[in-house]
Amino acid sequence: MTDFSASSSDAPPSNSPPADAPPSDTDLIVPLNPSGTATPLVCVHESAGSAFSYLPLAHLLGDDRPVLGIEAPGFDGEQAPVSSVPELSARYAAALREVLPGGAVHLLGWSLGGLVVFDMARRLTAAGVEVGRVVLVDTSPPYPCPMPPETEVARRFLHDVAASLGLDLPAEIDALAAGCDGDVDALFREVGHLDPWPPELDAELLGTRYAVFRAHVLAAHTYEAPGRYDGPVWHLTASKSPSGEGRWAELAPDLKEHAVPGDHHSIWHGDALRQLAALTRSALAGSPHPGKS
C-alpha cells in the first residue's frame, strides 16, 4: 500500500529539518488522498496557487487512487512566488522524484497547472520516470504574449477568488476595478466592503495571494513550450471555454479531448464535477476515448 500521510505538515517525519530551516520543495506536496495501491495522481495548482481545489475531485476518484496536490511557492507566505513555468516544472519534478523515487505517476493540471504538468511530463520522461497519463483541465495552449494591465490582472484575480467561494459578484468587482484608477491596494480595500465578501479575506491577505496569482499570470504569458510531448494526453475542456485543440494537437500528438458542461469554474461543482471525475477515471484507467462533444 502507498501511504503519503508522512508528507503532511501535520505529521512531519522524524528526520524533518529544524523549524528555522528554509522550506523544502517537498513541503509543497500535500496529500489529498494519501493511501491506495493504484498509480498516484499528482495535481498541480492553478493560478491561485492552492492544491486544495482538487480535494473534491480526489474524493470522487476512489479510495484506491493516491492523489497528491502541489501547492505554489509563496501561497503560504514562506517563499517568493515563481513567475516561470519551466522553473515551477523543474522544482516540482525534482520534489516528486524525491517523494516518489520509483514507479509510474499520472499528472493533472487545471488552467496554469495544465501548462506546468505538460512541461513536467517532458522533464520526468527525459529523467526516466514513467508518466502514465497527462490530464489537462480547461488549459489554454501556450502562446507567449504581453501581460495585461495591472488593473485587469487584479480584476481577474478577484473574479477567481469570488468564483472559488461561490460568490456571484462579477459586476460589483468590475465596477470597483474600473474606479480604482490603477491602485490595486485600494481595490483590495474596497472589495472587502462588498456583501457577502468574507472579512477574513482582508486587503493584506488579498495582497499576499495576489502576488502569487500575478506571478503565475506572468508565467503563463511568457511560457513557450520547448517541444512536443508524445505520451497520452487528455484535455477536459469546459464547454463554454474556447477550444485550444488545434495548438494542443501540435504539441501533444496523442491527444484526446472531451468537453464538460459549464465554464472554467463551474466544472468543479455538481454534475459537471461528477462528469469531470468520471472522465478522469477513464483517462487514468487507459479506457478507450469516449468521443468528442
Side-chain angles (χ1 to χ4, degrees):
M1 173 178 289
T2 306
D3 190 339
F4 300 102
S5 58
S7 299
S8 169
S9 59
D10 295 330
S14 59
N15 61 347
S16 57
D20 58 352
S24 163
D25 283 340
T26 59
D27 293 339
L28 302 174
I29 300 176
V30 294
L32 303 179
N33 182 32
S35 61
T37 59
T39 300
L41 173 65
V42 177
C43 301
V44 174
H45 62 84
E46 42 84 52
S47 294
S50 174
F52 288 98
S53 56
Y54 297 113
L55 195 56
L57 175 66
H59 289 162
L60 293 173
L61 295 182
D63 293 339
D64 197 45
R65 175 73 60 189
V67 182
L68 303 178
I70 300 184
E71 186 174 275
F75 184 76
D76 60 2
E78 294 185 6
Q79 297 190 47
V82 175
S83 58
S84 161
V85 167
E87 182 180 344
L88 290 169
S89 167
R91 289 175 61 171
Y92 298 165
L96 274 184
R97 292 176 69 190
E98 186 174 346
V99 172
L100 301 172
V105 65
H106 300 301
L107 301 173
L108 181 146
W110 170 38
S111 196
L112 169 82
L115 296 180
V116 178
V117 299
F118 175 81
D119 202 88
M120 286 175 66
R122 287 174 46 86
R123 289 179 190 274
L124 290 169
T125 301
V129 177
E130 181 185 352
V131 177
R133 292 289 187 276
V134 175
V135 181
L136 313 176
V137 181
D138 208 42
T139 300
S140 299
Y143 281 113
C145 57
M147 277 282 282
E150 195 72 28
T151 302
E152 173 62 16
V153 179
R155 186 188 72 84
R156 293 182 191 177
F157 165 68
L158 292 174
H159 273 260
D160 188 80
V161 172
S164 70
L165 297 171
L167 303 179
D168 186 18
L169 296 171
E172 292 88 341
I173 290 170
D174 289 350
L176 290 177
C180 77
D181 197 25
D183 188 341
V184 171
D185 292 334
L187 173 60
F188 293 161
R189 289 193 297 271
E190 289 300 318
V191 78
H193 299 305
L194 294 178
D195 185 23
W197 193 266
E200 62 271 17
L201 268 179
D202 58 15
E204 182 179 358
L205 180 55
L206 285 174
T208 299
R209 296 288 168 82
Y210 176 65
V212 175
F213 182 89
R214 188 188 186 285
H216 293 160
V217 172
L218 179 59
H221 278 71
T222 55
Y223 179 57
E224 186 167 4
R228 73 184 202 180
Y229 173 70
D230 292 323
V233 176
W234 283 49
H235 188 197
L236 309 181
T237 65
S239 61
K240 295 182 180 180
S241 296
S243 173
E245 183 182 13
R247 174 61 172 154
W248 275 125
E250 296 174 8
L251 295 171
D254 188 1
L255 176 74
K256 299 174 177 64
E257 187 172 75
H258 195 79
V260 177
D263 60 32
H264 191 64
H265 290 94
S266 68
I267 59 173
W268 293 97
H269 303 281
D271 289 340
L273 174 61
R274 286 185 281 274
Q275 290 188 44
L276 184 66
L279 287 166
T280 301
R281 289 195 301 269
S282 294
L284 302 188
S287 300
H289 182 222
K292 297 177 186 176
S293 64

